Every structure is written in C-alpha cells, then in structure tokens.
Amino acid sequence: MSQIKIFDTTLRDGEQSPGVNLNKQEKLEIARQLERFGVDRMEAGFPASSRGDFESVKAIADTVKNTSVIGLARTIKSDIDIAWDALKGAEKPAIHIFVATSPIHMTYKLKKTPEEVVETAVRMVSYAKQKFNDIEWSAEDATRSDWDFLAQIIEKVIDAGATVINLPDTVGYTTPAEYGKLFRYIKENVPNINRVALSCHCHDDLGMAVANSIAAVENGATQVEGTINGIGERAGNAALEEVAVALKIRSDYYPFETGLKLDEIKRTSDLVSKLTGMYVQANKAIIGRNAFAHESGIHQDGVLKNAETYEIITPEMVGVTSNTLFLGKHSGRHAFKDKIKEFGVELTDDEVKNAFDQFKTLTDHKKEVTDDDLYTIVMEIKTDSSTVGKYHLENFQVQYSTENVPTATVILKTPDGKIAKKSCPGQGSVEALYKTIDNIIEETIKLVDYQLNSVGGGKDALAESHVQLIIDGEAVNGRGSAQDVLQASANAFINAVNRYIIKRSTAGKKMLVNE
Ligand code: KIV
Ligand code: ZN
C-alpha cells in the first residue's frame, strides 16, 4: 500500500462557495477538527485577499501543530510576503503559488504570453524559496493547457524550488481516463519530476471530481486535494471523505491508503455543514442522511439476514453512531460539560452556561434529548455568542388562521442598541415574519433559498433552518435552530444578516493588489 497525502482546502476553495463566509473562530474550529481528522496539509486561506483572511490564516498557523498549514498566493511578491507574515509562526508552513497556463486564461485573464508566464512563475517560486522550504506550485486550468507547455514550465519551476506540483482541473472539465493520461505524461516527460510530489485538484462540474482524483492517483499523483462534503466554487471540489472511503473499501483493487481517521468523518462533516450553512443532501455518498437507510422490503429483508447483502460501508466506520439518548432532565452540569468535550468543540464558561440553560429548557419540552440535539444547541451558541453590534431578536408573534391574512409583529434590537418594533402581513407565516424583519433591517435583502429540516425524528424534534440571502448584492448563508419552526426560521434570517454585518466590518476589507 502506498500512502496518499490529503490536502484539505475546505477553508480556502470550500469557503469560495456562494454565501459561505466563516469568521476567524469558526475557521479555527474547523482547522482543529481537520487536524483531528488527520489531514496531512490544510490550506487555511488566501492571506493577501483580505484582512480577515490574513488574521484567520495567522491564527490557524499559530494553533495547529501536527498538520502543515498552507496559504494561497498569486505570482506576486506582495502576496508571497503577506503569506509569509501569516504563516511564519506555523510548525510546518507552506505556500501554494498558482498561475494559469491554459491559452484562454493566459490570453484573456492574464494578458501574458506563455514565455512571460514561465518567467513570472520561475521568478516568484525563486522569490518564495527565500522564505518557504515547502512550495506547492499550481498550473491553474491545467486540464485545458497544452501538455508540452505544461511539461516545460513544470521542469523550470521545480528547478526554481517547487516541492509539490499540482495540476488542477479548475473548471471540472476532464474525464478520468484523460486526467490519468495527463499525470502519466507529466511523469514521463518532465526530467526532474521525481524531485517533487504530484498533486491532483478536481472540481465537480461534470460530477467526476472524485473519479478523476482517483484516476490521477492511479497514474502517479501522491496527493489529493479536496474539501469536506465536496463544498467549493460552483459545483464544488472532490469530496475528501468519498476519496478516502473509496480507497479503503476498494483496497482489494487500489493499492493506496490515506492517513485519515475515517471515524472522524461524520463529526467533520457535521461541523463544516453547520458552520458553512451548507446542508448535506440526504443521498450524498458516505455521509448523507440516507446513506445507511434501506427503504425497500427486499433490501430490509436482506440486511436483516446479513448486513453485507446491501451494505458495503458500516456506519461505525465513518463515525455514524446511533443517535443515542444523551442526558435527561436531571443531568448535572458536569456530565453536560463532558459531553461537549466529546464533540471536540471548545466553549467559554459563558457559552457552557448558555448551552446548559438551553439544554434544560429543551428537556422541559422534549421527551428525549439526543446527541444531535445537543450538538445543534452548541453550534447555535458558537456562532451567536455575542450580540454586540448585531441584530438581536427580542420577541415576535405570528398570527395565523386558515381564514385570515397571517400577520407578524417583531421586536428587534438593532446594532446601535435601539429597540425597533414593526408589524406586517404576508401570504404565509414565514413570509409575514421575514417581511417584518426585513422592514426593520436597513440593508437591502433578497431571500434566495430557504430550508427547514428536523434534527432527528419525533413530533417534538428541534427544527433547523438554513437560508441564503443576497444582502446589498452579496450572497450570505445563515442558519438557526429552535424547537419552534418559526423561531428557527427567524434565527436563520437574522444569523445571515449578522454574518454580513461582521463580514462588512472586518473580513470584507479587501487588500488584493492587481496581478
Ligand atoms: O481550481 C483551481 O485551479 C484552484 C487553484 C487556485 C489551485 O483552486
Ligand atoms: Zn480549485
């Protein structure tokens, strides 16, 4: 078995998903979990892109110890300098420098000749080498580039000091056979290729990102890049949990293994889903809610006789345990704290107190409080612990009957600490509620997506709502949970607005200089 390295880019390419906007604390939380999951390398962000990204990459670099922390940079000196400032405190710092190599990108985006692209790439890799030992170089849009040109530029950037060469399928255009051939070609036509590691990076526009990544591995790639739950730009990136479990389950066929702790998959997936507000579809491979559900009578009968008839993966292998009854009405704070520790989430004393109070309230209304319920409460608190400078829902009321027009009345505390109260009618309860909140909030808001799900089963289950809003032209995701569906819906809406406000005041300050 040869060992394949896993390069996680959830915090960089994954964060480029529309509406996703993680703050520093949330990024740190995900970084810690990625370290626990056992990824070899994590791309923490693009330090030169904004003050917020710089701060987050720096915090991750200063915290994570066992995983190499990487920052993205263009072939620009200031990007490399800023990346070094953010990463120099890391145990294993690395830089990821990219430049486009396809004719369409070089002509229209970069407005450079191929010779100029080679010259810039070599000059910037040499420059970065003065600071970083570990340099990954990416040929953006490699799969639409001329293979001979790729071989020439790769040879030169290796001589300049690159230690990893990545061939991204930037627009998700390639096929498994073609991508495999590209890796073989580069291995056979770049004389110094054995001095570096070869990496694949696939997008899922044609639904082939995981298959393409595995084809690359079969043809010489020793590193796979991707994200948790496959989140990312447009259709997303290769889902790392799918790559890892495919290699494990088909180890009779693939002589490759990863160092990932597969039983951390569920926890990692849940954390990323909750913090990004990107709901995992029920039929998603490995980790979707239905991945281990058997609906048809024939399948159920087979599984009862022998689980292997229809189950190739056990839930335990990927960390899916039965959603056990957690603690009851009479459980004490001590047992509660221990349970939170098991989740791997760090809470301040105030946050623990708040979570405990909410747990106690829930036990008054819900017969069985499960791990999933508690995790939902904890994540709600993690993102909404401070109300300073944000909107806060003080109170609301919705009147609904099948005969009359639904009407909502909402009392909100605004970011400047004032109390605002309004009422509005709507076609339905949620519309009335959202219209009223929208009326109080200054920003121009459009609701583009709204989802409501239950956390587990039962009539008394917690409700979890996800929304995507366009605020002042920018997509932002929000989520909220509560026992009541309208309260969860209101929380999700306000959460998205608050995320936008925070982003505007901190992370939104762009630092990018022109390429
Ligand atoms: O998809 C891509 O080309 C990228 C590069 C920045 C490596 O994400
Ligand atoms: Zn990408």
Side-chain angles (χ1 to χ4, degrees):
M1 285 280 170
S2 39
Q3 186 88 12
I4 298 302
K5 289 220 157 87
I6 294 293
F7 175 119
D8 179 278
T9 181
T10 305
L11 296 171
R12 199 276 300 169
D13 227 346
E15 221 231 352
Q16 285 173 221
S17 309
V20 175
N21 172 27
L22 299 164
N23 63 36
K24 185 164 95 180
Q25 276 321 313
E26 291 167 336
K27 285 188 182 173
L28 258 176
E29 206 68 62
I30 292 177
R32 283 196 203 100
Q33 179 56 28
L34 289 172
E35 190 179 23
R36 237 176 265 132
F37 184 28
V39 305
D40 300 282
R41 297 155 80 78
M42 67 173 85
E43 189 164 45
F46 182 0
S49 67
S50 70
R51 169 64 43 197
D53 234 35
F54 175 88
E55 297 294 346
S56 301
V57 174
K58 182 165 168 28
I60 293 170
D62 295 346
T63 308
V64 165
K65 294 286 165 250
N66 302 315
T67 305
S68 164
V69 181
I70 302 174
L72 185 70
R74 297 167 299 171
T75 44
I76 298 181
K77 271 188 175 176
S78 58
D79 275 25
I80 296 167
D81 293 340
I82 294 170
W84 177 245
D85 280 346
L87 289 155
K88 60 187 173 205
E91 206 80 7
K92 301 184 221 172
I95 190 164
H96 176 189
I97 302 175
F98 73 101
V99 67
T101 50
S102 65
I104 187 164
H105 276 236
M106 291 191 290
T107 310
Y108 295 100
K109 188 181 80 172
L110 299 179
K111 300 192 183 357
K112 281 191 172 147
T113 63
E115 293 70 31
E116 284 169 330
V117 169
V118 174
E119 189 277 323
T120 317
V122 168
R123 193 158 37 84
M124 287 302 109
V125 170
S126 310
Y127 179 71
K129 201 67 186 177
Q130 296 167 21
K131 303 168 194 279
F132 292 90
N133 278 327
D134 193 354
I135 301 177
E136 170 162 329
W137 180 81
S138 278
E140 190 190 12
D141 206 16
T143 51
R144 294 192 298 168
S145 302
D146 177 77
W147 289 14
D148 195 37
F149 175 62
L150 273 182
Q152 289 172 33
I153 190 168
I154 288 171
E155 183 181 352
K156 295 195 168 107
V157 293
I158 294 174
D159 280 340
T163 45
V164 180
I165 297 295
N166 182 34
L167 302 176
D169 183 27
T170 304
V171 292
Y173 177 75
T174 197
T175 68
E178 183 186 58
Y179 200 46
K181 273 193 204 146
L182 172 60
F183 277 78
R184 207 70 358 257
Y185 182 87
I186 294 301
K187 274 203 87 79
E188 286 165 4
N189 289 278
V190 176
N192 52 3
I193 199 72
N194 289 335
R195 287 181 10 211
V196 296
L198 256 184
S199 180
C200 59
H201 175 115
C202 297
H203 282 264
D204 207 30
D205 298 66
L206 295 175
M208 293 194 274
V210 170
N212 288 339
S213 304
I214 292 179
V217 167
E218 286 183 287
N219 286 280
T222 52
Q223 174 174 286
V224 175
E225 305 192 3
T227 59
I228 305 301
N229 300 336
I231 65 168
E233 192 94 70
R234 306 182 310 279
N237 290 56
L240 289 175
E241 66 281 2
E242 293 181 21
V243 173
V245 175
L247 293 180
K248 173 77 185 171
I249 294 293
R250 295 309 312 273
S251 56
D252 59 320
Y253 185 79
Y254 296 121
F256 312 106
E257 62 187 4
T258 71
L260 292 178
K261 296 188 186 69
L262 299 185
D263 58 2
E264 286 289 333
I265 286 180
K266 167 86 165 95
R267 193 202 293 222
T268 317
S269 164
D270 280 354
L271 182 69
V272 169
S273 163
K274 298 245 191 238
L275 292 184
T276 57
M278 289 192 74
Y279 196 69
V280 173
Q281 85 214 39
N283 63 333
K284 158 91 171 57
I286 315 297
I287 205 65
R289 201 173 62 242
N290 294 351
F292 301 101
H294 302 281
E295 181 69 17
S296 93
I298 295 175
H299 287 206
Q300 285 173 352
D301 181 53
V303 169
L304 284 176
K305 288 174 178 150
N306 179 341
E308 282 179 30
T309 49
Y310 288 101
E311 251 181 37
I312 60 164
I313 311 163
T314 62
E316 293 75 29
M317 175 190 276
V318 297
V320 175
T321 49
S322 55
N323 188 19
T324 46
L325 176 64
F326 157 57
L327 299 166
K329 215 177 172 55
H330 305 292
S331 305
R333 197 181 291 259
H334 206 74
F336 180 83
K337 264 181 141 172
D338 284 350
K339 194 73 200 175
I340 290 179
K341 265 200 207 123
E342 267 178 41
F343 292 147
V345 179
E346 288 189 18
L347 295 185
T348 62
D349 289 347
D350 280 354
E351 287 169 341
V352 172
K353 185 182 171 314
N354 191 352
F356 188 69
D357 291 347
Q358 289 200 27
F359 155 68
K360 282 286 172 187
T361 310
L362 189 61
T363 56
D364 287 339
H365 300 283
K366 192 168 186 286
K367 234 170 55 206
E368 294 183 345
V369 178
T370 62
D371 280 7
D372 279 353
D373 291 328
L374 187 63
Y375 189 67
T376 304
I377 290 177
V378 166
M379 294 321 289
E380 178 95 5
I381 283 169
K382 267 266 42 107
T383 44
D384 262 336
S385 53
S386 152
T387 54
V388 181
K390 299 196 241 166
Y391 287 96
H392 181 68
L393 183 62
E394 296 285 310
N395 202 346
F396 77 93
Q397 189 184 5
V398 177
Q399 275 164 336
Y400 176 84
S401 85
T402 45
E403 303 296 320
N404 299 316
V405 178
T407 308
T409 303
V410 173
I411 304 177
L412 271 190
K413 191 191 257 177
T414 58
D416 53 10
K418 296 202 176 102
I419 296 290
K421 180 176 176 183
K422 287 223 162 115
S423 295
C424 278
Q427 300 300 319
S429 304
V430 175
E431 199 210 351
L433 179 62
Y434 280 6
K435 260 173 77 179
T436 316
I437 298 174
D438 194 358
N439 252 325
I440 299 177
I441 288 170
E442 268 175 26
E443 285 72 15
T444 315
I445 300 175
K446 196 171 146 207
L447 177 72
V448 287
D449 193 20
Y450 168 78
Q451 292 180 40
L452 189 63
N453 296 285
S454 72
V455 178
K459 292 196 191 73
D460 58 358
L462 276 180
E464 190 169 46
S465 173
H466 287 89
V467 296
Q468 187 171 99
L469 308 180
I470 304 285
I471 309 184
D472 293 343
E474 222 176 294
V476 226
N477 292 350
R479 68 164 196 290
S481 58
Q483 208 167 22
D484 178 79
V485 293
L486 291 176
Q487 173 89 55
S489 306
N491 290 353
F493 194 96
I494 292 168
N495 177 252
V497 174
N498 284 337
R499 286 176 162 273
Y500 170 76
I501 291 174
I502 292 168
K503 182 181 177 201
R504 195 181 50 189
S505 66
T506 55
K509 290 196 187 101
K510 292 271 180 260
M511 310 200 300
L512 277 182
V513 294
N514 286 335
E515 202 158 358

